[in-house]
Amino acid sequence: MNTTQGANKILFINTLAFTFCFAAWMLNGILVTFLVDNQVFSWSAVEIGWLIGIPVLTGAIFRLPAGILTDKLGGKPVFTGLLLLCAVPMFLLSYADDFWAFALCSLGFGIAGASFAVGIAFSSIWFPKEKQGVALGIFGAGNAGAAITTLVGPKLLNFLTDNKTNLDGWRDMPRIYAAVLVLMAVIFFVTTKNKKPASSTKNIKGMLAPLKSVRVWRFGLYYFLVFGCFVAFAGWLVPYYTNVYALDLVTAGILASCFSLPSGIIRAFGGWLSDRVGARKVMYWVLGSSLIFSAILIVPKMDIYAAGKGIMAKSSGTVTDVTANYIEVEGVKYPVIAKTDKLANLNEGFHVFPVKESWQEVVVKKGDVVKKKQLIAKGNTHIYFQANLWIFAIVAIIIGSIWGIGKAAVYKHIPDYFPEEVGVVGGMVGVLGGLGGFFCPIIFGYLLEGTGLWSSCWILMLALSAVCLIWMHRVVQKMADKATPNLVNKFEKEQG
């Protein structure tokens, strides 16, 4: 089966529209931070969290109905309507003067996040099964819209506010975003051709039937990890860098963009790889790698002093001499390890692995009478782990890229198992992934509060990766066990 005529053009327009939608979806992360930092609004940390989370939540929830509508009506009217619908609350955001107005508008333009379900369903129908992995991977690269807002947003706000001298100029930013969404809607309507799957003749109950399959929810859990956690870290890494490494906001934002941008772009490679070697093999690699790198990042930056190996007297007697290098008891000399300046300038060096120093501190003096096995020198150990910024940043970029490949692999499964219900199933999987983007930062906050460690967020990643990997492996094993008797029977028939 060849690629349908005009498919590449549809894919390009789909991806472009999704990129702008994703950029709009992530707007509050930059805009709310700017408004609070410059005291335009005095919102609490809880209110800030809700304003950043509300668009993510609504975008996730509306993915299922958006997918159903796309399967029913086709992508052209649904995507065009979604772009125009989101432009209205985005424009009204420019008139917001309090928390509730901001929250209501955010609730509206957050539906932009549902564009993913529309684009996935509308893109897949134009391509044959063997090319859908690449196509959906290219479309998913629109996730890079998050990096566009993170990189361009602060500079645009500085320009609109005349370098923060006219703070009310921020209101032009949502107007610009609204205008871009309307322009994109016009371009989409004029340049695309509508197409619907065979399932479009089914009623709503029939279209929702695939959701009874456990497989859909398993795919959703995978996507909770590779997409939801990606969205969560795209925002969480900014305070992570500022708190753990004392970076300024601009530098932290750039490093956070370095996490999100490659992850979006590499998704296309993930689609190609899934077509080439199979989505299941790719998911094995993704989940295994996620497990390993999460374990690496769990280890926090630390500076620990602990008890080390001391010296005990081998026999009773009187201490006859004490120096910096040894203790003498009745003619028996015990060498003492002295403290050095080895770890004096820890932050100036580049340390990949933990470094340590051990020394002994004399606890007796000349003339003391000691018993056998009495401690005469206390042991001390100093362990320092730098959790080097650049190593952390590189590993974070790697794990983000791995998740990017995983995002494509998850969606490669959907047209394979549910070819006529890509919109519904893709929408439900997208809902679960989007919910990850909403709930994960909240869980991160509780983990931080409970442990006092910023690196505790990676504990959740380790646990999620392990659960996904174990579940997938058990399912694969069951499939193999079921397939084996059939293969044996087939072999016996051929031999007979």
Side-chain angles (χ1 to χ4, degrees):
M1 180 180 174
N2 295 321
T3 302
T4 308
Q5 188 176 4
N8 291 331
K9 185 179 90 169
I10 295 292
L11 179 61
F12 172 75
I13 299 298
N14 261 342
T15 305
L16 185 64
F18 176 52
T19 302
F20 285 126
C21 282
F22 209 90
W25 197 35
M26 296 285 105
L27 173 68
N28 275 4
I30 292 296
L31 183 56
V32 171
T33 304
F34 176 87
L35 295 174
V36 173
D37 284 352
N38 291 282
Q39 300 178 341
V40 177
F41 296 109
S42 55
W43 292 323
S44 68
V46 174
E47 289 174 322
I48 293 168
W50 274 104
L51 289 178
I52 291 174
I54 283 172
V56 177
L57 182 63
T58 54
I61 291 171
F62 279 94
R63 284 184 172 189
L64 179 58
I68 293 172
L69 280 173
T70 305
D71 281 347
K72 197 75 178 173
L73 306 175
K76 180 174 180 175
V78 177
F79 216 144
T80 302
L82 185 143
L83 287 160
L84 292 173
L85 181 65
C86 292
V88 176
M90 180 65 80
F91 179 78
L92 293 176
L93 185 68
S94 63
Y95 295 99
D97 281 318
D98 57 30
F99 171 80
W100 291 108
F102 223 96
L104 193 62
C105 291
S106 299
L107 195 72
F109 77 74
I111 300 172
S115 61
F116 179 74
V118 181
I120 282 286
F122 193 42
S123 295
S124 65
I125 200 172
W126 288 87
F127 290 86
K129 185 177 179 180
E130 65 275 8
K131 292 185 179 180
Q132 284 178 342
V134 174
L136 299 186
I138 292 171
F139 170 77
N143 285 166
I148 292 173
T149 288
T150 309
L151 287 171
V152 177
K155 293 176 182 177
L156 179 60
L157 281 167
N158 281 337
F159 172 76
L160 294 173
T161 58
D162 296 326
N163 288 320
K164 301 176 185 177
T165 57
N166 175 29
L167 289 174
D168 214 41
W170 73 265
R171 297 180 185 280
D172 287 331
M173 188 177 191
R175 290 169 187 158
I176 291 171
Y177 270 59
V180 170
L181 290 173
V182 171
L183 179 63
M184 190 65 243
V186 173
I187 293 171
F188 195 93
F189 186 78
V190 171
T191 59
T192 58
K193 180 183 176 183
N194 201 30
K195 191 174 185 181
K196 294 183 282 187
S199 64
S200 62
T201 56
K202 294 182 182 179
N203 58 28
I204 296 296
K205 185 178 179 180
M207 293 176 76
L208 291 174
L211 300 187
K212 294 177 182 177
S213 171
V214 176
R215 182 179 280 127
V216 174
W217 303 95
R218 180 161 53 87
F219 293 163
L221 182 63
Y222 299 163
Y223 208 60
F224 187 98
L225 171 67
V226 297
F227 176 75
C229 295
F230 161 77
V231 172
F233 274 106
W236 188 255
L237 281 176
V238 174
Y240 194 109
Y241 281 124
T242 56
N243 282 273
V244 177
Y245 297 103
L247 299 180
D248 61 83
L249 196 59
V250 174
T251 307
I254 291 171
L255 287 177
S257 298
C258 289
F259 165 82
S260 56
L261 187 60
S263 182
I265 294 172
I266 205 168
R267 188 166 179 162
F269 169 72
W272 175 84
L273 197 63
S274 298
D275 281 341
R276 189 91 176 185
V277 303
R280 188 180 298 141
K281 283 184 181 178
V282 174
M283 283 307 298
Y284 262 118
W285 179 83
V286 166
L287 296 175
S289 302
S290 179
L291 190 74
I292 293 167
F293 285 113
S294 295
I296 291 171
L297 293 175
I298 283 173
V299 184
K301 186 175 183 179
M302 56 187 175
D303 199 4
I304 299 172
Y305 289 85
K309 184 181 179 183
I311 303 172
M312 290 188 293
K314 294 177 182 177
S315 60
S316 301
T318 303
V319 178
T320 54
D321 195 11
V322 176
T323 71
N325 299 314
Y326 67 87
I327 302 169
E328 187 175 341
V329 180
E330 299 290 351
V332 179
K333 286 186 176 181
Y334 299 88
V336 175
I337 301 171
K339 191 176 189 305
T340 68
D341 294 329
K342 178 184 175 183
L343 304 183
N345 300 306
L346 291 170
N347 288 318
E348 292 178 10
F350 184 92
H351 306 289
V352 177
F353 301 104
V355 290
K356 75 170 183 117
E357 180 186 12
S358 296
W359 70 94
Q360 290 154 343
E361 185 181 331
V362 177
V363 295
V364 294
K365 59 183 183 296
K366 189 176 180 180
D368 285 353
V369 178
V370 297
K371 296 177 181 179
K372 185 179 180 180
K373 292 189 177 180
Q374 181 180 329
L375 188 70
I376 58 177
K378 182 175 69 173
N380 295 293
T381 299
H382 179 196
I383 301 172
Y384 175 76
F385 181 55
Q386 192 179 42
N388 184 270
L389 167 63
W390 300 113
I391 293 175
F392 175 86
I394 290 168
V395 174
I397 291 168
I398 291 171
I399 199 169
S401 299
I402 288 167
W403 289 342
I405 293 170
K407 284 181 272 188
V410 171
Y411 269 85
K412 168 61 179 170
H413 279 97
I414 294 172
D416 285 351
Y417 289 100
F418 306 97
E420 297 300 329
E421 296 91 11
V422 173
V424 175
V425 177
M428 191 66 236
V429 170
V431 167
L432 296 172
L435 289 176
F438 175 72
F439 284 114
C440 280
I442 297 171
I443 300 171
F444 293 166
Y446 281 114
L447 285 171
L448 175 59
E449 188 177 317
T451 65
L453 299 172
W454 277 90
S455 62
S456 60
C457 56
W458 298 106
I459 296 173
L460 179 62
M461 299 304 99
L462 180 71
L464 272 173
S465 300
V467 170
C468 290
L469 186 59
I470 291 167
W471 193 2
M472 185 178 79
H473 186 63
R474 288 188 65 183
V475 169
V476 170
Q477 279 186 319
K478 285 181 181 178
M479 290 170 65
D481 291 343
K482 285 181 181 178
T484 302
N486 294 332
L487 290 173
V488 172
N489 291 336
K490 184 180 179 182
F491 177 77
E492 288 176 348
K493 285 179 181 178
E494 289 175 353
Q495 294 301 311

